[in-house]
Amino acid sequence: MYQYVGLIVLFPLIGLFINGFFGRKIKNETLVGMIGSAAVGLSFLVAAGIFVEMLGMPEDGRSHVVTLFTWIAAGSFKVSAAYQIDQLSILMTLVVTGVGFLIHVYSIGYMHGDRGFWRFFTYLNLFIFAMLNLVLADNYLLMFLGWEGVGLCSYLLIGFWYDKKFPGTGITWTGDAANKAFWVNRIGDFAFMIGMFLIFREFGSLTFREVMGGAETLAVGNNTMFWITLLLFIGATGKSAQIPLFIWLPDAMAGPTPVSALIHAATMVTAGVYMVARNSALYALAPTTMMIVAIVGALTAIMAASIGIAQNDIKKVLAYSTVSQLGYMFLALGVGAFTAGIFHVMTHAFFKACLFLGSGSVIHAMHEEQDIRHMGGLKKVMPKTYWTFLISSFAIAGFPPLSGFFSKDEILWKAFSDGSLVLWIIGASAALMTAFYMFRMVTLTFEGEPRWAKDKHPHESPATMTIPLIVLAGLAILGGFVGIPAVLGGGNAIEHWLHPVFAQAHHTMALSEHSSHTTEYLMMGISVVIAVTGFWFGRRMFLADPEADKRIAAKTGFLYRLLSNKYYVDEIYNGSVVRPLVRTSESFLYRVFDVRIIDGAVNGLAKTTGWVSAMMRYVQTGVVQNYAALVVLGLVVVLGLLIFS
Amino acid sequence: MIPHVLNFILFLPLIGAAAVLLARRSDNAVRWTGLLFSLITFVISLLLYFEYDPANPAMQFVEKVSWIPSLNVSYHIGLDGISMLLVVLTTFLTPIVLISSWKSVQKQTAAYVALMLVLETAMIGVFSSLDTFLFYVFWELILIPMYFIIGIWGGKERIYATVKFFIFTMVGSLLMLIAIIWLGYYASTLPGGVFTTDITQLFDIAPTIPLNIQAWMFGAFALSFLIKVPAFPLHTWLPDAHVQAPTGGSVILAGVLLKMGTYGLIRFNLQLFPQSTLEFASLLSVLGVIGIIYGALVSMVQKDVKKLVAYSSVSHMGFILLGIFGVTVQGLQGGLIQMLNHGLSTGALFLIVGMIYDRRHTRMIEEFGGLARQIPVFSTFFLIVTLSSIGLPGLNGFIGEFLVLIGSFQSQVLGSIWYVVFASTGVVFAAVYMLWMFQRVVFGESRSPENAKLVDLSAREIGLLLPIVLFIVWIGVYPSTFLSKSESSVQRVVEKIEQVQRGEIFTTSVSPSK
């Protein structure tokens, strides 16, 4: 089946062409939606076929590269359009196409009646195409094509309702939010590119295999590796919304909700995690970068979780929760737990997609209302949405035996055993906050008495929307079973599956099992206690008083304002970078340097020439007597000089 | 293969210009005649692409006829992989320009079309000349039609703009003329040498010029070319010329004329003066890098879309400078692809600006908004070209920029990664100024009731943009079509300079004397 890998990428491309060129003519929404969904569904089937075939192969024989054509060649530089199928890329492909397919189906219901229906499915297919290139590429440059490609789709979809207002810091329109996303990502991409240049200079190639092969002989602590890995990681902070480049993700909620689910929660934002995991062998050589990755991840996790506590927009809460969960993934990578990071990518894709789609279902039912303070009591009117949302909330909060428990616990355990106690404490505190804000949101949205206006008539969403929710909730329950740790008697199938991919990195880092099972049980117990505590407080507080926020705000004052204003990061960036740059460009570079200095010099030269010429003109009077007089004068001067010198 | 094919391509437009003047009874006859000639020229020029043999290192399609025997000047033309691609770019853009002016040019149509065709001959002449004197003649010939195109069919301040354009260019080219004469004279001072203007002979002679004199020669040529590029800080004629020029003039100016500068730098500065190239590479790369950032920042704050695109050219052309003076195969190949890219993307941007100007008679960003809903086809084309301009992977702009950056990053000549690190910030800034403009023009809500009257693109306008978009995608997905043709020629340029670095080519240490 390997040779058919091209099909995985081709189907979304076909879908995108059909809907892109003819979608406007196809008046039937369902047909457009089905073409878009089928394209992704077919990709999923091909990927599943390859996956099944891989299962039957020996562990070392599962990795293959399929080259399509030479993309760019100049001198010693050569890059091909080639796909690498291995345990990691096929897993990501399955998640992307699987979750992607469900979200496509959901969108048929959610986008019903939108004038840009066909455009929406075109962009979604383009996104899947780009994302598949990102995860399947066998080299950095093709990965970068996908990397920027998903950024483009994100841009197009955030600004999908281009004439809709979207308030924010320095933002008026959805298009401004789209720009912000693209620009911030580009800053990351800038670092990614420099990283690629360094890789090419160091290894003379941009294919993963050759680079990893070249890295085998390098010593740990290599300075170039530090820079390469750091630059790539800065790229990841852009795409995966980590400190300091996380600011775009919350504003990305300007797009339609399925977009938030697919791109800004389940798949695209995990690209940075995938990229670091793909380069695990390089990161293993750079312990300093690893430390930075772990610290940034942990800090992002807790910072975003704390912001999540004080948000009232259902999508904003979920957005910050995504930033926070991505922080966990980087924490895992940073302590060398690459499998745990990827495991969390997968489980997070399930429950976060479900949560976002659920929020979309709620927003749909509430006629575009997104403020959870104006909701409440929805569990009676939309039970399917409620139950799936609740299950996924338990999953993200880390309740056993749901998927989030296994993946998050694995990360916290590794943060403790291979990292440090401090990292664990930060991670555990963030987990407490997560459980709290999730159940604050669940309670305010679904429980208690309705707080919405009388003219609103919420209703359960159609089957195209609820079926994907149910499937995703099922995955949120079951998805963790592939990674049950050995200590609980599980096989940790995902660890074994991915083992060959990370073997080189593990070999370099030489991690050892050094903690006892007792400690692991203990930590696991603490995790459960944390989740339950957060749940209990979140639920009790807001069930008793839906306006508990006000009391908290009154008590904590500045701290609460700090959280609800997202630590004023946007304001700080605007004031320190954006505005000065625009102002300098306008009032100095353009108005002064270009217009006054350069053009002034040019025009000055022209004027001087003109003036000199005008003066000279007086000599040329055209009167013969004057010329004769001057000739005589000249003669006298010359003769005088000859005589007296 | 047609014998003397390059002669045909060179003079067909000129004959077309004459035919246009004969057909001036009706404007439509004029337009069709002009278009026909430019299309035939384009079709024949495709032969150049297919017949060009990248394995053959010599100049191809060569024609040589003695012209001024006393000065040893000859009509000597021919192409290598670099100039061949630029000739095809020229013949590709000319018909597009003529069609784009179909409706918008109504006064003195015959003169306009004839001047465009004369311009085409001159541009092809510049790229194919293998004689410095002939090159100079074509180089200067460009000025005349361009002067009138801006001066007659331009905007309100067209006279200021066209005079500025003229004077800037003249200052540079006068110095170049002196250098050309001096080069011929130097050849005559060598043992058994005669005065010569033959470029292929000068390739061997010029690198032996003593360093101090070579530096002056290099400077004279470089100044002339840098003005044309235009490189910072010699760029201020460009925004004025662009803003005042009619759409067709802008497309040709950005699409082809600027490339004459970068082409000249490769053909003359790199190939004739390798030692001085090594000496000045850092300086010129710095100018390139400043141009990238400065052009982008100034572009960001423009209020007129056309001026914004004009300043973006300064930024884009900076990449080409950096690629050339990194003197690596990747950098030069990237620079060449970037020349084609800039011709396509910026050409298309000017067409697009022209289309909106034809409808609204304004180009101010603040006048628009919400075009996506009003004119979706226009907006879609605009978006694709914008994305090409900001270097999105999968489209053409990325290939050029990436090759330039990865090439100059490894450059032994520059010897530092910082040029590229700073230049790469241009990638971020490009996204800022282009997308910010795009957001204000196309997204959001309309800020003027006039916009409600806008009609979407006509079939003619779509037909103009479609071939460009086709190449935008083509180069992005499969650049080998073009890279493979020029690779060997570029390699030769680089090898020569590497020979100098290795000390295999010597300059004479004493000044020549008779």
Side-chain angles (χ1 to χ4, degrees), chain B residues 42-220:
Chain B
F42 171 62
V43 171
I44 300 178
S45 76
L46 287 178
L47 283 178
L48 296 178
Y49 174 82
F50 290 110
E51 300 281 340
Y52 180 82
D53 175 13
N56 175 2
M59 289 286 173
Q60 299 177 34
F61 314 105
V62 174
E63 306 285 342
K64 190 170 184 181
V65 181
S66 181
W67 183 13
I68 310 172
S70 60
L71 290 174
N72 213 2
V73 171
S74 53
Y75 166 76
H76 186 188
I77 56 173
L79 299 173
D80 67 355
I82 301 168
S83 46
M84 184 272 291
L85 290 177
L86 291 169
V87 167
V88 178
L89 174 71
T90 309
T91 58
F92 172 75
L93 282 178
T94 306
I96 289 181
V97 164
L98 289 177
I99 303 173
S100 80
S101 318
W102 212 262
K103 292 260 167 62
S104 55
V105 171
Q106 292 294 347
K107 77 174 174 185
Q108 305 184 46
T109 315
Y112 180 85
V113 174
L115 284 171
M116 275 293 175
L117 289 170
V118 172
L119 192 57
E120 184 178 10
T121 289
M123 294 185 295
I124 297 170
V126 164
F127 292 130
S128 52
S129 292
L130 292 179
D131 182 287
T132 52
F133 192 80
L134 187 67
F135 175 84
Y136 188 77
V137 169
F138 283 125
W139 180 270
E140 293 292 278
L141 180 59
I142 301 273
L143 282 182
I144 300 164
M146 209 54 212
Y147 177 82
F148 287 116
I149 287 171
I150 301 176
I152 297 176
W153 294 273
K156 277 199 198 85
E157 312 218 350
R158 55 183 184 270
I159 301 301
Y160 170 72
T162 198
V163 169
K164 196 167 170 184
F165 163 75
F166 200 96
I167 290 175
F168 256 98
T169 316
M170 279 302 285
V171 169
S173 48
L174 277 176
L175 289 172
M176 180 165 73
L177 181 62
I178 295 169
I180 286 173
I181 295 168
W182 201 92
L183 267 179
Y185 160 74
Y186 174 79
S188 71
T189 62
L190 296 175
V194 285
F195 188 93
T196 184
T197 53
D198 189 310
I199 292 177
T200 49
Q201 287 174 21
L202 287 170
F203 281 161
D204 297 325
I205 297 171
T208 67
I209 300 173
L211 276 182
N212 57 335
I213 297 174
Q214 206 184 96
W216 284 104
M217 299 283 104
F218 182 95

Side-chain angles (χ1 to χ4, degrees), chain A residues 438-459:
Chain A
M438 282 311 296
F439 285 97
R440 166 178 176 265
M441 177 169 65
V442 171
T443 310
L444 285 177
T445 310
F446 293 101
E447 313 275 350
E449 294 304 312
R451 294 183 300 280
W452 67 73
K454 285 243 165 59
D455 59 334
K456 294 215 163 129
H457 304 287
H459 51 86

Side-chain angles (χ1 to χ4, degrees), chain A residues 279-349:
Chain A
N279 287 291
S280 57
L282 302 187
Y283 278 85
L285 293 169
T288 319
T289 316
M290 292 284 275
M291 202 172 72
I292 295 172
V293 172
I295 293 170
V296 168
L299 290 179
T300 308
I302 194 160
M303 176 216 62
S306 65
I307 295 175
I309 292 173
Q311 300 303 312
N312 293 314
D313 182 319
I314 188 167
K315 286 177 78 177
K316 281 264 161 79
V317 178
L318 287 172
Y320 281 103
S321 122
T322 303
V323 175
S324 167
Q325 296 297 311
L326 290 165
Y328 277 110
M329 297 173 203
F330 282 101
L331 171 58
L333 300 174
V335 297
F338 299 107
T339 309
I342 294 296
F343 185 24
H344 201 54
V345 164
M346 187 183 83
T347 59
H348 179 257

Side-chain angles (χ1 to χ4, degrees), chain A residues 71 75 162-163 186 594 599, chain B residues 164 235-236 294 311 373 487:
Chain A
W71 183 21
Y162 46 75
D163 42 13
R186 266 273 161 120
D594 220 62
D599 253 7
Chain B
K164 196 167 170 184
H235 63 274
T236 57
Y294 181 89
Y311 275 107
R373 182 173 284 241
E487 170 112 10

